[in-house]
Amino acid sequence: MTELQVHMRRAESLREVLENDIVTGTYPAGTRLDEVMLATRFNVSRTPIREALIELSGAGLVEIRPRRGAFVREIGITRLIEMFEVMADLEAMCGRLAARRIRVEELAGLEQAHEACIHAKADGDPDAYFHANQAFHEAIYKASHNSFLEEQALLLQNRLKVYRRLQLRVPNRISGSLSEHGQIVEAIKAGDSQRAAEALRQHVLIQGERFNDFVASVAGHVKSGSSRS
């Protein structure tokens, strides 16, 4: 592994730890994230800390204020649900186009990502499942062959990434997710654009019991009101 790869992996690892600390309430909304203290905590220089904070800012979890530093942002449940609604429609659009446009090699890649999800579940590894799940969805974005749509889906996916990770910690959610993946693959493989779109929309939407589970999982960070991030 090259020095650059080690550096990038360290920054990614730091970001994931900080993401988890923020959404689980270790760092409540309004908390100032001091670079020096974080560098001491993780025994690293300030450079990877600064890079992690910039990425968290891009994901909407942190606000970087000039000459004041980085602060944890407060996000309302209403705002999150709105973002998931948009994500569901973006993914539905990707699925509809992918069912019509996916190439042989792209379908193979999608099936490979689905297999990786299956293995991660069998191994009881939620982190591996999360990364395989991310690759699964990105394969669908790419197979839409609409670069603007792919860009928008990736941007919002990045904003919601930490919350989607939390969803996978809800009991039985990985099993449900995996079953839904199978339906999505079959619809795309069959070229059924309408079924693929609806399968992806329902896969991403938060409703019914899943809504209650989601609210419980993020209760440490978000407000129940309609504040805007």
PDB file of all heavy atoms in Angstrom, residues 91-92 94-103 106-108 110-111 136-137 139-141 143-144 181-197 199-200:
ATOM      1  N   GLU A  91     -33.180   7.427  -6.992  1.00  0.00           N
ATOM      2  CA  GLU A  91     -32.813   6.020  -7.203  1.00  0.00           C
ATOM      3  C   GLU A  91     -33.822   5.319  -8.112  1.00  0.00           C
ATOM      4  O   GLU A  91     -33.450   4.462  -8.919  1.00  0.00           O
ATOM      5  CB  GLU A  91     -32.699   5.302  -5.852  1.00  0.00           C
ATOM      6  CG  GLU A  91     -31.583   5.854  -4.980  1.00  0.00           C
ATOM      7  CD  GLU A  91     -30.663   4.787  -4.425  1.00  0.00           C
ATOM      8  OE1 GLU A  91     -30.753   3.623  -4.846  1.00  0.00           O
ATOM      9  OE2 GLU A  91     -29.837   5.138  -3.560  1.00  0.00           O
ATOM     10  N   ALA A  92     -35.088   5.691  -7.982  1.00  0.00           N
ATOM     11  CA  ALA A  92     -36.104   5.108  -8.863  1.00  0.00           C
ATOM     12  C   ALA A  92     -35.821   5.471 -10.316  1.00  0.00           C
ATOM     13  O   ALA A  92     -35.928   4.626 -11.221  1.00  0.00           O
ATOM     14  CB  ALA A  92     -37.494   5.593  -8.450  1.00  0.00           C
ATOM     15  N   CYS A  94     -32.877   6.198 -11.562  1.00  0.00           N
ATOM     16  CA  CYS A  94     -31.689   5.431 -11.960  1.00  0.00           C
ATOM     17  C   CYS A  94     -32.077   3.997 -12.309  1.00  0.00           C
ATOM     18  O   CYS A  94     -31.610   3.440 -13.313  1.00  0.00           O
ATOM     19  CB  CYS A  94     -30.659   5.423 -10.827  1.00  0.00           C
ATOM     20  SG  CYS A  94     -29.819   7.002 -10.548  1.00  0.00           S
ATOM     21  N   GLY A  95     -32.934   3.396 -11.496  1.00  0.00           N
ATOM     22  CA  GLY A  95     -33.357   2.020 -11.734  1.00  0.00           C
ATOM     23  C   GLY A  95     -34.148   1.868 -13.018  1.00  0.00           C
ATOM     24  O   GLY A  95     -33.951   0.899 -13.765  1.00  0.00           O
ATOM     25  N   ARG A  96     -35.023   2.840 -13.275  1.00  0.00           N
ATOM     26  CA  ARG A  96     -35.825   2.785 -14.494  1.00  0.00           C
ATOM     27  C   ARG A  96     -34.932   2.847 -15.736  1.00  0.00           C
ATOM     28  O   ARG A  96     -35.112   2.072 -16.682  1.00  0.00           O
ATOM     29  CB  ARG A  96     -36.834   3.938 -14.521  1.00  0.00           C
ATOM     30  CG  ARG A  96     -37.781   3.871 -15.712  1.00  0.00           C
ATOM     31  CD  ARG A  96     -38.872   4.928 -15.661  1.00  0.00           C
ATOM     32  NE  ARG A  96     -38.346   6.278 -15.802  1.00  0.00           N
ATOM     33  CZ  ARG A  96     -38.290   7.168 -14.824  1.00  0.00           C
ATOM     34  NH1 ARG A  96     -38.714   6.863 -13.613  1.00  0.00           N
ATOM     35  NH2 ARG A  96     -37.808   8.387 -15.036  1.00  0.00           N
ATOM     36  N   LEU A  97     -33.968   3.765 -15.716  1.00  0.00           N
ATOM     37  CA  LEU A  97     -33.065   3.890 -16.869  1.00  0.00           C
ATOM     38  C   LEU A  97     -32.110   2.704 -16.967  1.00  0.00           C
ATOM     39  O   LEU A  97     -31.800   2.234 -18.065  1.00  0.00           O
ATOM     40  CB  LEU A  97     -32.275   5.196 -16.763  1.00  0.00           C
ATOM     41  CG  LEU A  97     -33.093   6.484 -16.919  1.00  0.00           C
ATOM     42  CD1 LEU A  97     -32.211   7.699 -16.688  1.00  0.00           C
ATOM     43  CD2 LEU A  97     -33.755   6.553 -18.282  1.00  0.00           C
ATOM     44  N   ALA A  98     -31.635   2.221 -15.813  1.00  0.00           N
ATOM     45  CA  ALA A  98     -30.710   1.087 -15.818  1.00  0.00           C
ATOM     46  C   ALA A  98     -31.371  -0.150 -16.415  1.00  0.00           C
ATOM     47  O   ALA A  98     -30.725  -0.921 -17.132  1.00  0.00           O
ATOM     48  CB  ALA A  98     -30.217   0.796 -14.401  1.00  0.00           C
ATOM     49  N   ALA A  99     -32.657  -0.360 -16.123  1.00  0.00           N
ATOM     50  CA  ALA A  99     -33.362  -1.527 -16.667  1.00  0.00           C
ATOM     51  C   ALA A  99     -33.396  -1.494 -18.189  1.00  0.00           C
ATOM     52  O   ALA A  99     -33.433  -2.541 -18.846  1.00  0.00           O
ATOM     53  CB  ALA A  99     -34.779  -1.582 -16.102  1.00  0.00           C
ATOM     54  N   ARG A 100     -33.355  -0.287 -18.748  1.00  0.00           N
ATOM     55  CA  ARG A 100     -33.388  -0.145 -20.203  1.00  0.00           C
ATOM     56  C   ARG A 100     -31.992  -0.086 -20.824  1.00  0.00           C
ATOM     57  O   ARG A 100     -31.823  -0.458 -21.985  1.00  0.00           O
ATOM     58  CB  ARG A 100     -34.152   1.132 -20.567  1.00  0.00           C
ATOM     59  CG  ARG A 100     -35.647   1.016 -20.313  1.00  0.00           C
ATOM     60  CD  ARG A 100     -36.352   2.370 -20.216  1.00  0.00           C
ATOM     61  NE  ARG A 100     -35.827   3.408 -21.102  1.00  0.00           N
ATOM     62  CZ  ARG A 100     -36.133   4.693 -20.982  1.00  0.00           C
ATOM     63  NH1 ARG A 100     -36.951   5.093 -20.019  1.00  0.00           N
ATOM     64  NH2 ARG A 100     -35.650   5.573 -21.826  1.00  0.00           N
ATOM     65  N   ARG A 101     -31.001   0.386 -20.067  1.00  0.00           N
ATOM     66  CA  ARG A 101     -29.713   0.712 -20.668  1.00  0.00           C
ATOM     67  C   ARG A 101     -28.525  -0.101 -20.168  1.00  0.00           C
ATOM     68  O   ARG A 101     -27.434   0.016 -20.720  1.00  0.00           O
ATOM     69  CB  ARG A 101     -29.411   2.203 -20.410  1.00  0.00           C
ATOM     70  CG  ARG A 101     -30.458   3.143 -20.976  1.00  0.00           C
ATOM     71  CD  ARG A 101     -30.151   4.583 -20.586  1.00  0.00           C
ATOM     72  NE  ARG A 101     -31.112   5.520 -21.171  1.00  0.00           N
ATOM     73  CZ  ARG A 101     -31.097   6.836 -20.947  1.00  0.00           C
ATOM     74  NH1 ARG A 101     -30.174   7.357 -20.143  1.00  0.00           N
ATOM     75  NH2 ARG A 101     -31.999   7.621 -21.515  1.00  0.00           N
ATOM     76  N   ILE A 102     -28.720  -0.905 -19.128  1.00  0.00           N
ATOM     77  CA  ILE A 102     -27.578  -1.596 -18.530  1.00  0.00           C
ATOM     78  C   ILE A 102     -26.888  -2.506 -19.541  1.00  0.00           C
ATOM     79  O   ILE A 102     -27.531  -3.174 -20.349  1.00  0.00           O
ATOM     80  CB  ILE A 102     -28.019  -2.394 -17.278  1.00  0.00           C
ATOM     81  CG1 ILE A 102     -26.798  -2.794 -16.450  1.00  0.00           C
ATOM     82  CG2 ILE A 102     -28.873  -3.611 -17.654  1.00  0.00           C
ATOM     83  CD1 ILE A 102     -27.133  -3.267 -15.043  1.00  0.00           C
ATOM     84  N   ARG A 103     -25.560  -2.503 -19.515  1.00  0.00           N
ATOM     85  CA  ARG A 103     -24.768  -3.343 -20.408  1.00  0.00           C
ATOM     86  C   ARG A 103     -24.445  -4.667 -19.717  1.00  0.00           C
ATOM     87  O   ARG A 103     -24.552  -4.792 -18.500  1.00  0.00           O
ATOM     88  CB  ARG A 103     -23.483  -2.615 -20.789  1.00  0.00           C
ATOM     89  CG  ARG A 103     -23.745  -1.332 -21.571  1.00  0.00           C
ATOM     90  CD  ARG A 103     -22.493  -0.502 -21.713  1.00  0.00           C
ATOM     91  NE  ARG A 103     -22.755   0.745 -22.447  1.00  0.00           N
ATOM     92  CZ  ARG A 103     -21.934   1.793 -22.462  1.00  0.00           C
ATOM     93  NH1 ARG A 103     -20.802   1.748 -21.773  1.00  0.00           N
ATOM     94  NH2 ARG A 103     -22.248   2.882 -23.144  1.00  0.00           N
ATOM     95  N   GLU A 106     -21.967  -4.401 -16.989  1.00  0.00           N
ATOM     96  CA  GLU A 106     -22.501  -3.662 -15.840  1.00  0.00           C
ATOM     97  C   GLU A 106     -23.452  -4.534 -15.030  1.00  0.00           C
ATOM     98  O   GLU A 106     -23.475  -4.470 -13.795  1.00  0.00           O
ATOM     99  CB  GLU A 106     -23.212  -2.401 -16.330  1.00  0.00           C
ATOM    100  CG  GLU A 106     -22.257  -1.356 -16.894  1.00  0.00           C
ATOM    101  CD  GLU A 106     -22.975  -0.208 -17.569  1.00  0.00           C
ATOM    102  OE1 GLU A 106     -24.135  -0.389 -18.004  1.00  0.00           O
ATOM    103  OE2 GLU A 106     -22.373   0.882 -17.684  1.00  0.00           O
ATOM    104  N   LEU A 107     -24.237  -5.351 -15.703  1.00  0.00           N
ATOM    105  CA  LEU A 107     -25.119  -6.279 -14.999  1.00  0.00           C
ATOM    106  C   LEU A 107     -24.291  -7.271 -14.189  1.00  0.00           C
ATOM    107  O   LEU A 107     -24.637  -7.588 -13.041  1.00  0.00           O
ATOM    108  CB  LEU A 107     -26.015  -7.022 -15.993  1.00  0.00           C
ATOM    109  CG  LEU A 107     -26.992  -8.034 -15.384  1.00  0.00           C
ATOM    110  CD1 LEU A 107     -27.913  -7.371 -14.367  1.00  0.00           C
ATOM    111  CD2 LEU A 107     -27.809  -8.722 -16.478  1.00  0.00           C
ATOM    112  N   ALA A 108     -23.184  -7.708 -14.757  1.00  0.00           N
ATOM    113  CA  ALA A 108     -22.294  -8.622 -14.039  1.00  0.00           C
ATOM    114  C   ALA A 108     -21.741  -7.944 -12.785  1.00  0.00           C
ATOM    115  O   ALA A 108     -21.633  -8.561 -11.718  1.00  0.00           O
ATOM    116  CB  ALA A 108     -21.157  -9.073 -14.949  1.00  0.00           C
ATOM    117  N   LEU A 110     -23.201  -5.496 -11.113  1.00  0.00           N
ATOM    118  CA  LEU A 110     -24.299  -5.350 -10.162  1.00  0.00           C
ATOM    119  C   LEU A 110     -24.524  -6.668  -9.415  1.00  0.00           C
ATOM    120  O   LEU A 110     -24.707  -6.675  -8.191  1.00  0.00           O
ATOM    121  CB  LEU A 110     -25.572  -4.934 -10.903  1.00  0.00           C
ATOM    122  CG  LEU A 110     -26.835  -4.754 -10.052  1.00  0.00           C
ATOM    123  CD1 LEU A 110     -26.642  -3.658  -9.017  1.00  0.00           C
ATOM    124  CD2 LEU A 110     -28.033  -4.449 -10.946  1.00  0.00           C
ATOM    125  N   GLU A 111     -24.512  -7.760 -10.142  1.00  0.00           N
ATOM    126  CA  GLU A 111     -24.701  -9.068  -9.513  1.00  0.00           C
ATOM    127  C   GLU A 111     -23.538  -9.394  -8.571  1.00  0.00           C
ATOM    128  O   GLU A 111     -23.737 -10.004  -7.516  1.00  0.00           O
ATOM    129  CB  GLU A 111     -24.852 -10.144 -10.591  1.00  0.00           C
ATOM    130  CG  GLU A 111     -26.160 -10.018 -11.369  1.00  0.00           C
ATOM    131  CD  GLU A 111     -26.310 -11.061 -12.466  1.00  0.00           C
ATOM    132  OE1 GLU A 111     -25.285 -11.360 -13.128  1.00  0.00           O
ATOM    133  OE2 GLU A 111     -27.430 -11.578 -12.650  1.00  0.00           O
ATOM    134  N   PHE A 136     -23.383  -1.514  -4.613  1.00  0.00           N
ATOM    135  CA  PHE A 136     -24.583  -1.988  -5.310  1.00  0.00           C
ATOM    136  C   PHE A 136     -25.375  -0.812  -5.887  1.00  0.00           C
ATOM    137  O   PHE A 136     -25.737  -0.794  -7.069  1.00  0.00           O
ATOM    138  CB  PHE A 136     -25.448  -2.786  -4.328  1.00  0.00           C
ATOM    139  CG  PHE A 136     -26.749  -3.290  -4.896  1.00  0.00           C
ATOM    140  CD1 PHE A 136     -26.815  -4.495  -5.582  1.00  0.00           C
ATOM    141  CD2 PHE A 136     -27.925  -2.557  -4.727  1.00  0.00           C
ATOM    142  CE1 PHE A 136     -28.021  -4.972  -6.095  1.00  0.00           C
ATOM    143  CE2 PHE A 136     -29.125  -3.013  -5.237  1.00  0.00           C
ATOM    144  CZ  PHE A 136     -29.177  -4.222  -5.922  1.00  0.00           C
ATOM    145  N   HIS A 137     -25.612   0.183  -5.053  1.00  0.00           N
ATOM    146  CA  HIS A 137     -26.398   1.337  -5.503  1.00  0.00           C
ATOM    147  C   HIS A 137     -25.633   2.159  -6.541  1.00  0.00           C
ATOM    148  O   HIS A 137     -26.223   2.627  -7.517  1.00  0.00           O
ATOM    149  CB  HIS A 137     -26.798   2.198  -4.308  1.00  0.00           C
ATOM    150  CG  HIS A 137     -27.902   1.597  -3.496  1.00  0.00           C
ATOM    151  ND1 HIS A 137     -29.234   1.848  -3.729  1.00  0.00           N
ATOM    152  CD2 HIS A 137     -27.873   0.712  -2.474  1.00  0.00           C
ATOM    153  CE1 HIS A 137     -29.978   1.165  -2.879  1.00  0.00           C
ATOM    154  NE2 HIS A 137     -29.172   0.469  -2.100  1.00  0.00           N
ATOM    155  N   ALA A 139     -23.542   1.085  -8.660  1.00  0.00           N
ATOM    156  CA  ALA A 139     -23.568   0.351  -9.935  1.00  0.00           C
ATOM    157  C   ALA A 139     -24.841   0.668 -10.711  1.00  0.00           C
ATOM    158  O   ALA A 139     -24.829   0.775 -11.943  1.00  0.00           O
ATOM    159  CB  ALA A 139     -23.471  -1.154  -9.674  1.00  0.00           C
ATOM    160  N   ILE A 140     -25.935   0.857  -9.983  1.00  0.00           N
ATOM    161  CA  ILE A 140     -27.204   1.204 -10.631  1.00  0.00           C
ATOM    162  C   ILE A 140     -27.160   2.631 -11.164  1.00  0.00           C
ATOM    163  O   ILE A 140     -27.621   2.917 -12.272  1.00  0.00           O
ATOM    164  CB  ILE A 140     -28.381   1.016  -9.657  1.00  0.00           C
ATOM    165  CG1 ILE A 140     -28.513  -0.471  -9.292  1.00  0.00           C
ATOM    166  CG2 ILE A 140     -29.692   1.536 -10.273  1.00  0.00           C
ATOM    167  CD1 ILE A 140     -29.520  -0.757  -8.201  1.00  0.00           C
ATOM    168  N   TYR A 141     -26.588   3.553 -10.374  1.00  0.00           N
ATOM    169  CA  TYR A 141     -26.464   4.937 -10.844  1.00  0.00           C
ATOM    170  C   TYR A 141     -25.694   4.966 -12.164  1.00  0.00           C
ATOM    171  O   TYR A 141     -26.105   5.634 -13.124  1.00  0.00           O
ATOM    172  CB  TYR A 141     -25.709   5.817  -9.836  1.00  0.00           C
ATOM    173  CG  TYR A 141     -26.224   5.829  -8.423  1.00  0.00           C
ATOM    174  CD1 TYR A 141     -25.412   6.274  -7.378  1.00  0.00           C
ATOM    175  CD2 TYR A 141     -27.513   5.399  -8.095  1.00  0.00           C
ATOM    176  CE1 TYR A 141     -25.856   6.303  -6.077  1.00  0.00           C
ATOM    177  CE2 TYR A 141     -27.963   5.414  -6.783  1.00  0.00           C
ATOM    178  CZ  TYR A 141     -27.121   5.863  -5.779  1.00  0.00           C
ATOM    179  OH  TYR A 141     -27.555   5.877  -4.486  1.00  0.00           O
ATOM    180  N   ALA A 143     -25.201   2.577 -14.317  1.00  0.00           N
ATOM    181  CA  ALA A 143     -25.898   1.870 -15.398  1.00  0.00           C
ATOM    182  C   ALA A 143     -27.054   2.670 -15.973  1.00  0.00           C
ATOM    183  O   ALA A 143     -27.606   2.305 -17.015  1.00  0.00           O
ATOM    184  CB  ALA A 143     -26.407   0.516 -14.905  1.00  0.00           C
ATOM    185  N   SER A 144     -27.415   3.789 -15.332  1.00  0.00           N
ATOM    186  CA  SER A 144     -28.463   4.653 -15.878  1.00  0.00           C
ATOM    187  C   SER A 144     -27.975   5.357 -17.145  1.00  0.00           C
ATOM    188  O   SER A 144     -28.781   5.801 -17.967  1.00  0.00           O
ATOM    189  CB  SER A 144     -28.894   5.702 -14.848  1.00  0.00           C
ATOM    190  OG  SER A 144     -27.906   6.709 -14.690  1.00  0.00           O
ATOM    191  N   HIS A 181     -32.819  -6.130  -2.492  1.00  0.00           N
ATOM    192  CA  HIS A 181     -31.779  -6.111  -3.529  1.00  0.00           C
ATOM    193  C   HIS A 181     -32.058  -7.179  -4.583  1.00  0.00           C
ATOM    194  O   HIS A 181     -31.898  -6.943  -5.784  1.00  0.00           O
ATOM    195  CB  HIS A 181     -30.401  -6.368  -2.919  1.00  0.00           C
ATOM    196  CG  HIS A 181     -29.798  -5.171  -2.269  1.00  0.00           C
ATOM    197  ND1 HIS A 181     -28.491  -5.131  -1.822  1.00  0.00           N
ATOM    198  CD2 HIS A 181     -30.309  -3.947  -1.991  1.00  0.00           C
ATOM    199  CE1 HIS A 181     -28.224  -3.954  -1.294  1.00  0.00           C
ATOM    200  NE2 HIS A 181     -29.315  -3.212  -1.372  1.00  0.00           N
ATOM    201  N   GLY A 182     -32.455  -8.356  -4.121  1.00  0.00           N
ATOM    202  CA  GLY A 182     -32.749  -9.441  -5.053  1.00  0.00           C
ATOM    203  C   GLY A 182     -33.858  -9.072  -6.012  1.00  0.00           C
ATOM    204  O   GLY A 182     -33.781  -9.353  -7.221  1.00  0.00           O
ATOM    205  N   GLN A 183     -34.902  -8.409  -5.496  1.00  0.00           N
ATOM    206  CA  GLN A 183     -36.015  -7.984  -6.342  1.00  0.00           C
ATOM    207  C   GLN A 183     -35.562  -6.929  -7.353  1.00  0.00           C
ATOM    208  O   GLN A 183     -35.990  -6.935  -8.511  1.00  0.00           O
ATOM    209  CB  GLN A 183     -37.137  -7.416  -5.465  1.00  0.00           C
ATOM    210  CG  GLN A 183     -37.758  -8.433  -4.513  1.00  0.00           C
ATOM    211  CD  GLN A 183     -38.690  -7.784  -3.510  1.00  0.00           C
ATOM    212  OE1 GLN A 183     -39.232  -6.710  -3.750  1.00  0.00           O
ATOM    213  NE2 GLN A 183     -38.873  -8.429  -2.367  1.00  0.00           N
ATOM    214  N   ILE A 184     -34.680  -6.038  -6.907  1.00  0.00           N
ATOM    215  CA  ILE A 184     -34.168  -4.985  -7.789  1.00  0.00           C
ATOM    216  C   ILE A 184     -33.344  -5.587  -8.924  1.00  0.00           C
ATOM    217  O   ILE A 184     -33.507  -5.221 -10.092  1.00  0.00           O
ATOM    218  CB  ILE A 184     -33.331  -3.976  -6.974  1.00  0.00           C
ATOM    219  CG1 ILE A 184     -34.234  -3.196  -6.007  1.00  0.00           C
ATOM    220  CG2 ILE A 184     -32.580  -3.018  -7.900  1.00  0.00           C
ATOM    221  CD1 ILE A 184     -33.469  -2.460  -4.912  1.00  0.00           C
ATOM    222  N   VAL A 185     -32.457  -6.519  -8.577  1.00  0.00           N
ATOM    223  CA  VAL A 185     -31.614  -7.162  -9.592  1.00  0.00           C
ATOM    224  C   VAL A 185     -32.478  -7.882 -10.625  1.00  0.00           C
ATOM    225  O   VAL A 185     -32.252  -7.773 -11.837  1.00  0.00           O
ATOM    226  CB  VAL A 185     -30.625  -8.154  -8.944  1.00  0.00           C
ATOM    227  CG1 VAL A 185     -29.917  -8.984 -10.017  1.00  0.00           C
ATOM    228  CG2 VAL A 185     -29.586  -7.403  -8.114  1.00  0.00           C
ATOM    229  N   GLU A 186     -33.483  -8.606 -10.147  1.00  0.00           N
ATOM    230  CA  GLU A 186     -34.334  -9.356 -11.060  1.00  0.00           C
ATOM    231  C   GLU A 186     -35.099  -8.426 -12.003  1.00  0.00           C
ATOM    232  O   GLU A 186     -35.256  -8.720 -13.193  1.00  0.00           O
ATOM    233  CB  GLU A 186     -35.320 -10.235 -10.270  1.00  0.00           C
ATOM    234  CG  GLU A 186     -34.672 -11.443  -9.618  1.00  0.00           C
ATOM    235  CD  GLU A 186     -33.923 -12.308 -10.623  1.00  0.00           C
ATOM    236  OE1 GLU A 186     -34.510 -12.637 -11.683  1.00  0.00           O
ATOM    237  OE2 GLU A 186     -32.752 -12.632 -10.369  1.00  0.00           O
ATOM    238  N   ALA A 187     -35.581  -7.306 -11.481  1.00  0.00           N
ATOM    239  CA  ALA A 187     -36.328  -6.355 -12.308  1.00  0.00           C
ATOM    240  C   ALA A 187     -35.428  -5.737 -13.377  1.00  0.00           C
ATOM    241  O   ALA A 187     -35.819  -5.612 -14.548  1.00  0.00           O
ATOM    242  CB  ALA A 187     -36.942  -5.268 -11.433  1.00  0.00           C
ATOM    243  N   ILE A 188     -34.214  -5.342 -12.981  1.00  0.00           N
ATOM    244  CA  ILE A 188     -33.280  -4.751 -13.939  1.00  0.00           C
ATOM    245  C   ILE A 188     -32.863  -5.785 -14.971  1.00  0.00           C
ATOM    246  O   ILE A 188     -32.803  -5.501 -16.171  1.00  0.00           O
ATOM    247  CB  ILE A 188     -32.061  -4.167 -13.197  1.00  0.00           C
ATOM    248  CG1 ILE A 188     -32.485  -2.934 -12.382  1.00  0.00           C
ATOM    249  CG2 ILE A 188     -30.950  -3.790 -14.186  1.00  0.00           C
ATOM    250  CD1 ILE A 188     -31.381  -2.336 -11.536  1.00  0.00           C
ATOM    251  N   LYS A 189     -32.594  -6.989 -14.508  1.00  0.00           N
ATOM    252  CA  LYS A 189     -32.183  -8.069 -15.402  1.00  0.00           C
ATOM    253  C   LYS A 189     -33.264  -8.387 -16.434  1.00  0.00           C
ATOM    254  O   LYS A 189     -32.988  -8.700 -17.592  1.00  0.00           O
ATOM    255  CB  LYS A 189     -31.862  -9.313 -14.580  1.00  0.00           C
ATOM    256  CG  LYS A 189     -31.092 -10.389 -15.303  1.00  0.00           C
ATOM    257  CD  LYS A 189     -30.670 -11.481 -14.325  1.00  0.00           C
ATOM    258  CE  LYS A 189     -29.857 -12.558 -15.009  1.00  0.00           C
ATOM    259  NZ  LYS A 189     -29.410 -13.598 -14.047  1.00  0.00           N
ATOM    260  N   ALA A 190     -34.526  -8.279 -16.000  1.00  0.00           N
ATOM    261  CA  ALA A 190     -35.652  -8.567 -16.894  1.00  0.00           C
ATOM    262  C   ALA A 190     -35.980  -7.395 -17.808  1.00  0.00           C
ATOM    263  O   ALA A 190     -36.838  -7.502 -18.689  1.00  0.00           O
ATOM    264  CB  ALA A 190     -36.885  -8.940 -16.068  1.00  0.00           C
ATOM    265  N   GLY A 191     -35.313  -6.261 -17.589  1.00  0.00           N
ATOM    266  CA  GLY A 191     -35.595  -5.080 -18.393  1.00  0.00           C
ATOM    267  C   GLY A 191     -36.920  -4.431 -18.056  1.00  0.00           C
ATOM    268  O   GLY A 191     -37.482  -3.685 -18.858  1.00  0.00           O
ATOM    269  N   ASP A 192     -37.432  -4.708 -16.849  1.00  0.00           N
ATOM    270  CA  ASP A 192     -38.732  -4.178 -16.415  1.00  0.00           C
ATOM    271  C   ASP A 192     -38.496  -2.848 -15.701  1.00  0.00           C
ATOM    272  O   ASP A 192     -38.276  -2.805 -14.490  1.00  0.00           O
ATOM    273  CB  ASP A 192     -39.416  -5.178 -15.492  1.00  0.00           C
ATOM    274  CG  ASP A 192     -40.868  -4.820 -15.189  1.00  0.00           C
ATOM    275  OD1 ASP A 192     -41.205  -3.622 -15.233  1.00  0.00           O
ATOM    276  OD2 ASP A 192     -41.663  -5.749 -14.914  1.00  0.00           O
ATOM    277  N   SER A 193     -38.528  -1.761 -16.458  1.00  0.00           N
ATOM    278  CA  SER A 193     -38.172  -0.450 -15.911  1.00  0.00           C
ATOM    279  C   SER A 193     -39.126   0.010 -14.817  1.00  0.00           C
ATOM    280  O   SER A 193     -38.701   0.599 -13.823  1.00  0.00           O
ATOM    281  CB  SER A 193     -38.098   0.588 -17.028  1.00  0.00           C
ATOM    282  OG  SER A 193     -39.321   0.671 -17.725  1.00  0.00           O
ATOM    283  N   GLN A 194     -40.417  -0.251 -14.979  1.00  0.00           N
ATOM    284  CA  GLN A 194     -41.392   0.200 -13.981  1.00  0.00           C
ATOM    285  C   GLN A 194     -41.202  -0.555 -12.662  1.00  0.00           C
ATOM    286  O   GLN A 194     -41.217   0.046 -11.586  1.00  0.00           O
ATOM    287  CB  GLN A 194     -42.818  -0.017 -14.500  1.00  0.00           C
ATOM    288  CG  GLN A 194     -43.890   0.509 -13.539  1.00  0.00           C
ATOM    289  CD  GLN A 194     -45.285   0.441 -14.155  1.00  0.00           C
ATOM    290  OE1 GLN A 194     -45.446   0.226 -15.354  1.00  0.00           O
ATOM    291  NE2 GLN A 194     -46.303   0.628 -13.328  1.00  0.00           N
ATOM    292  N   ARG A 195     -41.008  -1.868 -12.758  1.00  0.00           N
ATOM    293  CA  ARG A 195     -40.814  -2.666 -11.542  1.00  0.00           C
ATOM    294  C   ARG A 195     -39.499  -2.304 -10.861  1.00  0.00           C
ATOM    295  O   ARG A 195     -39.430  -2.235  -9.622  1.00  0.00           O
ATOM    296  CB  ARG A 195     -40.857  -4.153 -11.895  1.00  0.00           C
ATOM    297  CG  ARG A 195     -40.730  -5.093 -10.696  1.00  0.00           C
ATOM    298  CD  ARG A 195     -41.339  -6.467 -11.006  1.00  0.00           C
ATOM    299  NE  ARG A 195     -40.719  -7.092 -12.150  1.00  0.00           N
ATOM    300  CZ  ARG A 195     -39.773  -8.030 -12.063  1.00  0.00           C
ATOM    301  NH1 ARG A 195     -39.338  -8.438 -10.873  1.00  0.00           N
ATOM    302  NH2 ARG A 195     -39.266  -8.588 -13.155  1.00  0.00           N
ATOM    303  N   ALA A 196     -38.459  -2.046 -11.644  1.00  0.00           N
ATOM    304  CA  ALA A 196     -37.169  -1.661 -11.065  1.00  0.00           C
ATOM    305  C   ALA A 196     -37.282  -0.328 -10.331  1.00  0.00           C
ATOM    306  O   ALA A 196     -36.759  -0.167  -9.221  1.00  0.00           O
ATOM    307  CB  ALA A 196     -36.116  -1.571 -12.164  1.00  0.00           C
ATOM    308  N   ALA A 197     -37.974   0.630 -10.946  1.00  0.00           N
ATOM    309  CA  ALA A 197     -38.142   1.950 -10.331  1.00  0.00           C
ATOM    310  C   ALA A 197     -38.903   1.853  -9.020  1.00  0.00           C
ATOM    311  O   ALA A 197     -38.501   2.430  -8.000  1.00  0.00           O
ATOM    312  CB  ALA A 197     -38.866   2.888 -11.294  1.00  0.00           C
ATOM    313  N   ALA A 199     -39.331  -0.817  -7.101  1.00  0.00           N
ATOM    314  CA  ALA A 199     -38.568  -1.592  -6.114  1.00  0.00           C
ATOM    315  C   ALA A 199     -37.530  -0.715  -5.428  1.00  0.00           C
ATOM    316  O   ALA A 199     -37.340  -0.785  -4.204  1.00  0.00           O
ATOM    317  CB  ALA A 199     -37.906  -2.789  -6.785  1.00  0.00           C
ATOM    318  N   LEU A 200     -36.839   0.133  -6.197  1.00  0.00           N
ATOM    319  CA  LEU A 200     -35.840   1.023  -5.612  1.00  0.00           C
ATOM    320  C   LEU A 200     -36.481   2.112  -4.764  1.00  0.00           C
ATOM    321  O   LEU A 200     -35.969   2.466  -3.701  1.00  0.00           O
ATOM    322  CB  LEU A 200     -34.980   1.639  -6.718  1.00  0.00           C
ATOM    323  CG  LEU A 200     -33.779   0.782  -7.105  1.00  0.00           C
ATOM    324  CD1 LEU A 200     -33.302   1.076  -8.508  1.00  0.00           C
ATOM    325  CD2 LEU A 200     -32.650   0.963  -6.093  1.00  0.00           C
TER     326      LEU A 200
END
